[in-house]
Amino acid sequence: MTLIDSAVLFGTFFLLLALGLPIVFAIGIASLVSIATSFALHDAALIVSQRMLSGLDSFTLLAIAFFILAGALMNRGGIAIRLIDLARLIVGRLPGSLAHCNVVANMLFGAISGSAVASCAAVGSVMTPLQRSEGYDPGYAAAVNIASSPAGLLIPPSSTFIVYSLVSGGTSIAALFLAGYLPGLMMGLGLMLVAGIIAKRRGYSADVAERQPILPTLLHALPSVLLMVIVIGGIVAGVFTATEASAIAVIYTLILTMAIYRTITFRALPAIVLEAAMTTAIVLPLISVSGAMSWAMSLESIPQQISAALLSLSDNPLVILLLINLILLAIGMFMDITPALLIFTPIFLPIVTQFGMDPVHFGVLMAFNLCIGICTPPVGSALFVGSSIAGVSIGRVGVPLLPMFVVLFAMLMAITYLPQISLFLPNLLLGD
């Protein structure tokens, strides 16, 4: 096999993307074209159909659908404002506390909703007016919201890790969930460090305008935060699987929003379910066609070709990991996290496992890396949503984002070369 095989598959894929074709069709057609170079067209079409069906033949995929529904219920159930109040209670006395509050609220809400874009929109719509009233630069306020919105994707429950588990050949979801905690906290704390330095320089004060009453704030936010404890605690303790946990999350969220907070009525449920179904209908076809692309890559030995190409540049694991990170950062600038995981995990995972890297560690590395891409141009979803919510241009957000990207890249390097950051909790709670 030659590099022509890779050129046919990825050349067709990127050409179709450049022509504006939706990514799910670009993956499917590129897979068909690649397989058709080795089989008759009707046989290639049959193979693609079979691989697409087998790609969806997994009970674990139900977890994605249920977590998306739970997130939709949370988004419509007024959870964001309660978590923002809790965040203000925690960091309200720090200089520039509204920026810190934005970061903490995104960590909490993103972890519960499972969506960086939803978190960016929900938290940003509340925090932006508050920050403007306190004299914060709108571009800086938007940058803080954008950069911190993906933190919740690392803090479980996370559909990102479920997707990685599926495409990596069954990596433990419980281990991945536990592995995401410290990197997720690192992302938030690193951004808070940058926000604190900027607050000192610009003279942003603590949030003294509105002291949060401690007990009522805790009581209002505790049921929302408890969802994470129930889901993760149950999975780690072996009480239920990730799929069962996702169904429990939906039931718990229904009780929370309809019986306790009373922010959702029965009349609103059909629209919320439809919203969740539409989101699921975006994710699952991607997983389906990625099965066909993975088969095409295996057929043409593309992972082995790319591995040989990287190893021809260096046989030093540290250099190889740096190159993989740079490639993933570039990919994240043009591709959303889910398709990037589906396409490139089968390529890079065999390479790093040759060097003895734990698949759980690599899953966290990929998730952290691609989370940065959500905030970068030209197609970063959080970048556009956050700018729109704040009412500022992309250019005005770019400059204050730069020091945040520097810190995030430094943390990515730490996570890459210090595996215990990711593996400490899984090893502690699940055993080696």
Side-chain angles (χ1 to χ4, degrees):
M1 296 296 176
T2 67
L3 290 177
I4 295 176
D5 303 316
S6 300
V8 170
L9 179 62
F10 291 111
T12 304
F13 171 66
F14 286 112
L15 174 62
L16 293 174
L17 283 184
L19 293 174
L21 203 68
I23 190 169
V24 65
F25 293 109
I27 295 173
I29 294 173
S31 303
L32 177 62
V33 170
S34 177
I35 295 172
T37 61
S38 301
F39 294 88
L41 183 59
H42 66 278
D43 291 331
L46 181 61
I47 291 169
V48 169
S49 301
Q50 291 173 337
R51 300 313 302 179
M52 287 177 63
L53 286 174
S54 63
L56 292 176
D57 186 18
S58 173
F59 186 68
T60 307
L61 286 176
L62 287 173
I64 296 177
F66 281 131
F67 277 131
I68 288 174
L69 177 55
L73 290 166
M74 286 283 182
N75 293 345
R76 296 281 289 272
I79 305 301
I81 189 63
R82 291 171 172 81
L83 294 178
I84 289 171
D85 288 341
L86 177 62
R88 295 179 76 178
L89 179 65
I90 296 171
V91 296
R93 297 180 182 274
L94 297 177
S97 60
L98 288 178
H100 298 305
C101 172
N102 198 322
V103 176
V104 174
N106 268 328
M107 292 168 68
L108 293 171
F109 189 77
I112 291 173
S113 70
S115 170
V117 172
S119 179
C120 186
V123 175
S125 62
V126 177
M127 293 304 305
T128 297
L130 292 175
Q131 291 171 332
R132 285 192 172 181
S133 68
E134 292 294 327
Y136 283 60
D137 174 66
Y140 163 71
V144 171
N145 185 42
I146 292 165
S148 61
S149 61
L153 297 182
L154 295 165
I155 302 172
S158 169
S159 295
T160 299
F161 287 133
I162 297 174
V163 172
Y164 174 81
S165 173
L166 288 167
V167 75
S168 65
T171 306
S172 168
I173 294 177
L176 287 167
F177 277 6
L178 289 172
Y181 272 112
L182 293 182
L185 291 173
M186 282 177 58
M187 178 180 282
L189 291 174
L191 294 173
M192 289 175 69
L193 175 64
V194 175
I197 293 173
I198 294 176
K200 289 251 183 184
R201 290 180 176 177
R202 298 187 180 182
Y204 295 145
S205 62
D207 181 19
V208 296
E210 184 181 344
R211 296 289 187 191
Q212 298 296 317
I214 296 177
L215 188 57
T217 300
L218 287 175
L219 290 176
H220 284 147
L222 184 61
S224 302
V225 178
L226 193 60
L227 172 64
M228 291 186 285
V229 178
I230 293 173
V231 170
I232 306 306
I235 294 174
V236 172
V239 177
F240 38 73
T241 66
T243 306
E244 293 165 345
S246 65
I248 290 170
V250 171
I251 295 171
Y252 180 88
T253 307
L254 280 171
I255 295 172
L256 182 65
T257 54
M258 298 184 71
I260 298 178
Y261 293 156
R262 297 185 178 181
T263 49
I264 292 179
T265 63
F266 279 105
R267 282 188 177 182
L269 280 180
I272 296 172
V273 172
L274 179 61
E275 175 189 336
M278 292 174 66
T279 304
T280 305
I282 295 171
V283 175
L284 294 187
L286 281 170
I287 296 173
S288 177
V289 293
S290 72
M293 178 170 271
S294 296
W295 198 90
M297 288 192 293
S298 299
L299 174 69
E300 307 295 353
S301 302
I302 289 175
Q304 290 83 350
Q305 294 176 31
I306 295 176
S307 176
L310 284 175
L311 293 174
S312 69
L313 299 175
S314 174
D315 59 358
N316 186 327
L318 302 182
V319 176
I320 295 297
L321 285 174
L322 177 61
L323 290 173
I324 290 175
N325 268 315
L326 293 176
I327 293 170
L328 288 174
L329 284 171
I331 290 165
M333 294 174 65
F334 297 94
M335 192 177 295
D336 196 41
I337 188 168
T338 299
L341 281 172
L342 293 168
I343 295 170
F344 293 98
T345 297
I347 294 176
F348 292 131
L349 183 58
I351 299 174
V352 299
T353 52
Q354 290 182 40
F355 299 118
M357 189 174 194
D358 192 300
V360 172
H361 177 201
F362 186 65
V364 174
L365 181 156
M366 285 197 75
F368 195 104
N369 191 310
L370 295 171
C371 277
I372 298 175
I374 295 175
C375 311
T376 58
V379 296
S381 52
L383 176 66
F384 289 99
V385 170
S387 300
S388 176
I389 291 292
V392 296
S393 66
I394 301 295
R396 190 168 179 181
V397 174
V399 174
L401 271 175
L402 289 177
M404 301 177 194
F405 285 150
V406 171
V407 170
L408 291 177
F409 182 77
M411 291 187 169
L412 174 62
M413 292 299 98
I415 290 167
T416 299
Y417 297 118
L418 298 174
Q420 281 307 308
I421 294 176
S422 303
L423 300 179
F424 173 72
L425 287 179
N427 290 342
L428 177 67
L429 298 177
L430 298 178
D432 296 331

